[in-house]
Amino acid sequence: QVLLFCTEHPFGHLIDTLQSEQYEERRYFNPQKLRDVRYEKLPFCMRVLLESTIRKCDGFYIKTDDVSSILDWQKQQNQAEVAFSPARVLLQDFTGIPAMVDLAAMRDALAKQGVDPNLVNPRCPTDLIVDHSLQIDYSKCSSSGSHCSGQRPGHRGGCSKVSCSDAPSGRSAAVQIENTPLLCPFHLQPVSEPETMIRNQEMELIRNKERLQFFKWCSKAFKNINVVPPDINTVHQLNLEYLCQVVQEGEGFIYPDSVVGTDSHTTMINGLGILGWGVGGIESEAVMLGQPVSLTLPQVVGCKLVGTISPLATSIDIVLGITKHLRQAGIGGKFVEFFGPGVQQLSAPDRTTIANMCPEYNATVSFFPVDDITLQHFKHTSTDHTLVVLEDYLKAIKLFRSYSDQSEEPQYSEVIEMNLSSIVPHVSGPKRPQDRVAVTCMKEDFINCLNEKVGFKGFHISKEKQATQVPFLHEGAEYNLAHGSVVIAAVISCTNNCNPSVMLAAGLLAKKAIEAGLKVKPYIRTSLVPGSGIVTHYLNTSGVLPYLRKLGFEVVGYGCATCVGNTAPLPESVVDAIKQGDLVACGVLSGNRHLEGRLCDCVRANYLASPPLVVAYAIAGTVSINLETEPLGVNSEGKDVYLRDIWPSKEEVNHTEENIVIASMFKELRSRMEKGSSFWNSLESAESALFPWDPKSTYIRCPSFFNKLVKACTPQSIEGAYPLLFLGDKVTTDHISPAGSIARVSAAAKYLQSKRLTPREFNSYGARRGNDAVMTRGTFASIKLQNRLIGKTGPRTLHIPSGQTLDVFEAAERYQRDGVPLIILAGKEYGSGSSRDWAAKGPYLMGVRAVIAESFEKIHRNHLVGMGIAPLQFLSGQNADSLELCGKERFTINIPQELIPRQQLVVQTSTGKSFSVMALFENDMDVAFFRHGGILKYVARSLLP
């Protein structure tokens, strides 16, 4: 069999064997056996692409021309299209729901045709992480519940209390704090979880029980998918701490790990030498079903790091410094690969933190090749045996980086240089992540923001009102709010928990602050949201978690919270004071997103800062402070306490990190992963191969993608189609795809009300992504939709035969009932914006067969093809206006039986006009998907007898 494979595979002659006395021999494809001098000049990230293309070359999805194009990358960048098959797919819960619902529906359709439903499984290994989004319902819960932000019937009472009296000698005993963490910081013995986290988790599980039951069924019914239970970890951290391998093994070969994921944080993985980036729902679903990702060979920018990092700079300072540098360099849509002597000063966690910020400087990936520091990191997570294989293999195919060997320098599209010694502590804000402010200039900059006209930084507060102070009462005590007052302070570790140093620094600062007698004002909405249980673990075992809790930074749960606006409501007295004085109140957080009003609509100024600075500004109670020259507060003896008095030294942080971040943490995480939560383990779900759809469910519903599935398929011409919509330029996926809350007067609301739900129970479109009836009704439901058929904005259109103006869905439903196909007319850049699967799924289920536009956003074009909708482009110089189309004609599009890529098709209208369009099918694979009505039907038909 091996000999046959080697003979039949186009690159079978490249198969090599890795041999050592320390492990069993491994087979791999060795690109060096091409004996092509261009290989060693390729950037390391391009070498990963090349290996995958060689190994997966099958002549249909991936061709030998793809291999040639990558080898010739210097000349083909930004021109050649290649296909890339990643090693695995990473799904978070919101995007995982529709993908798995589609596979469950495919099983149903095939079972009706007499096919074994167990044959339907993801073809690419897939990890589905249930935890992603977290709503903060409770914060600052004490053992008695007296400081809960909310109460609910049936609450079981206070937290358990544990205190350890035999602390190790040398640990400060100046302040005694009752400790209620997950593990005793001295004995590492399990104790009760803090009430805040328990109550938030309970609410999440109650809200999502139906969805979780479906995921539980998926975990048992499907092969090749790993479902990670709730209450374990967020998707991006699990990818770093548990799922990544650097080198994968399967189908008899070892090969580099790579991943596409449906979370913006997927890019973090590039910091460990694993190529990966974020994709939309349809793209991820396509990869799950065995289709490669279509990729235009990117430019690769080499970022050379030189100089020495300041001891006061945290990884966040480094991240924001590099973010600004790369944003100014204009590297949008490009790959970035780091090299130079400065790289060796960055730990593996530092690198993943930098790679995480790709979306902020618009790079596709920021790649750090594997080197000795990466291997040192994996000693905490892997066995010595695995590390030996990893190192030998990567060196064998020239994917291991040695910065001492200048001959290894690849050729890049361009090189930009950054001196790390120029980085000083900064925050970012008050409205955009790219607007960085040196901490030493924070007070001056904030005053300037008050003076400036309303814009990216300005608030335009008149001079006479800048000194406004508004007194208010909170819990019986009087306080004052002013411009710059901090009302939200969130230590969020999604960006930082891969780097223990910044979180430990926050904890050590909190400890010193408590010992110095400092406090955080009680009206400030403080929270600690670890993206991972391992963060809680090392904060716990280092003994700093109780000090954070004492300042109000209590663990509220795991998941995206404050960054996405899921902050618990501010106290009414605070909100009233802000409104009364028209104050520019502030939020400070250590996440990576902070657009104006995102945290809370009454908090206009929001700053990104490192975790220790979040704690410092919370103690100060204002951002209008010079932390070098002004005290944070006054201790019980009336003595001023400055930031320098409590800021932990780099040596302190490193010592704590070295003694805490050890392999036992990862071992504990793995144990927790394997055991799952008690709720998950006790959750009932079906044992059947087919999912038992509940007709009463408003969250999970069998979609109609596979209705009337038959073996035969031929492309059908589109005859007598009416335009559902007549749109202009730059229609984004936000205009098309259901998003946000469900409006009470929408088609989706009418559907939910018919199911006897009240508006309070509508939830959001995101929460109901597993119900195609809701999502289809929410398609084109944007209030900003500009439809030329009705001449005004709103989610309405003209039902042309009757002349009635209806909701877009209701018009589409009437057309479908009458058996009338639909098209959409549009201008330039149709489908621009974020990648959204329902921007293609929704129109398909509405009956849209084609979109005729002047141009398409590339990813959305791929999505349309993936759903069986024809993307048709007006010929150059033509559009709906030049062709004098009014949008009320009927359109017939002749589609030949032998359709080929980029073929011109003839469109005829009911008024006698005729014009040609370009069918934007880029390759034979696109044509095949369209012929079958989309990739879902293509895969389903491949299983029919």
Side-chain angles (χ1 to χ4, degrees), residues 272-547:
L272 298 178
I274 299 169
L275 189 63
W277 61 86
V279 296
I282 289 181
E283 292 162 294
S284 63
E285 205 166 330
V287 176
M288 287 173 64
L289 296 172
Q291 179 194 355
V293 175
S294 179
L295 178 72
T296 301
L297 279 178
Q299 289 182 283
V300 181
V301 177
C303 184
K304 186 175 184 178
L305 301 181
V306 297
T308 303
I309 300 172
S310 164
L312 294 177
T314 68
S315 65
I316 297 303
D317 299 315
I318 298 167
V319 167
L320 294 179
I322 291 177
T323 296
K324 183 176 182 179
H325 195 75
L326 293 177
R327 183 181 283 275
Q328 291 173 341
I331 47 113
K334 301 175 184 179
F335 282 22
V336 176
E337 185 168 292
F338 290 88
F339 73 107
V343 175
Q344 292 175 291
Q345 298 177 58
L346 303 177
S347 66
D350 286 334
R351 300 174 187 190
T352 56
T353 310
I354 293 166
N356 177 67
M357 294 296 278
C358 269
E360 303 305 331
Y361 47 82
N362 296 321
T364 303
V365 301
S366 286
F367 192 76
F368 289 84
V370 175
D371 61 5
D372 289 327
I373 292 174
T374 319
L375 290 182
Q376 188 67 30
H377 170 77
F378 277 105
K379 284 185 179 179
H380 297 307
T381 62
S382 307
T383 63
D384 292 339
H385 164 79
T386 306
L387 283 175
V388 174
V389 175
L390 185 156
E391 184 174 0
D392 288 353
Y393 169 64
L394 293 181
K395 288 181 176 178
I397 63 171
K398 293 283 186 179
L399 275 179
F400 189 86
R401 192 74 159 93
S402 173
Y403 293 100
S404 60
D405 187 354
Q406 295 297 317
S407 66
E408 285 193 3
E409 298 295 331
Q411 292 180 352
Y412 295 107
S413 306
E414 62 176 303
V415 172
I416 57 178
E417 184 174 296
M418 181 170 186
N419 192 328
L420 296 175
S421 60
S422 66
I423 296 175
V424 294
H426 281 76
V427 296
S428 177
K431 299 182 181 183
R432 304 187 302 173
Q434 64 265 37
D435 295 325
R436 299 173 67 235
V437 185
V439 172
T440 53
C441 302
M442 181 64 164
K443 183 174 183 177
E444 178 184 353
D445 187 81
F446 181 74
I447 293 172
N448 289 337
C449 290
L450 295 181
N451 291 326
E452 288 183 20
K453 292 181 179 180
V454 174
F456 291 134
K457 290 198 70 170
F459 298 102
H460 201 211
I461 304 297
S462 61
K463 293 280 187 181
E464 60 271 15
K465 292 185 178 180
Q466 290 182 16
T468 299
Q469 290 202 5
V470 181
F472 69 99
L473 290 175
H474 179 75
E475 295 182 350
E478 183 174 309
Y479 301 92
N480 287 301
L481 283 184
H483 293 293
S485 290
V486 173
V487 294
I488 295 175
V491 175
I492 303 165
S493 63
C494 66
T495 309
N496 311 298
N497 56 357
C498 55
N499 192 332
S501 64
V502 288
M503 294 298 288
L504 288 172
L508 291 170
L509 188 142
K511 179 176 181 292
K512 289 188 171 188
I514 292 294
E515 291 170 348
L518 298 179
K519 298 179 181 179
V520 172
K521 295 178 176 66
Y523 61 80
I524 297 176
R525 184 66 73 201
T526 51
S527 59
L528 171 59
V529 186
S532 162
I534 199 169
V535 181
T536 308
H537 184 99
Y538 66 64
L539 290 177
N540 230 334
T541 55
S542 62
V544 299
L545 188 59
Y547 297 94

Side-chain angles (χ1 to χ4, degrees), residues 773-852:
V774 173
M775 298 301 285
T776 306
R777 285 166 171 80
T779 303
F780 294 114
S782 170
I783 60 173
K784 296 181 180 180
L785 186 71
Q786 293 185 337
N787 179 12
R788 293 174 63 178
L789 290 178
I790 60 173
K792 58 182 180 180
T793 59
R796 309 272 285 174
T797 194
L798 179 69
H799 180 254
I800 298 170
S802 68
Q804 290 180 285
T805 298
L806 305 172
D807 285 339
V808 176
F809 172 79
E810 292 173 351
E813 188 177 40
R814 188 177 296 188
Y815 281 122
Q816 284 190 307
R817 191 166 57 240
D818 295 337
V820 178
L822 296 171
I823 65 169
I824 290 172
L825 296 174
K828 299 181 182 71
E829 299 180 40
Y830 180 80
S832 57
S834 302
S835 172
R836 299 214 173 146
D837 53 346
W838 275 100
K841 285 182 174 180
Y844 173 83
L845 292 176
M846 283 179 158
V848 174
R849 296 283 307 281
V851 178
I852 306 177

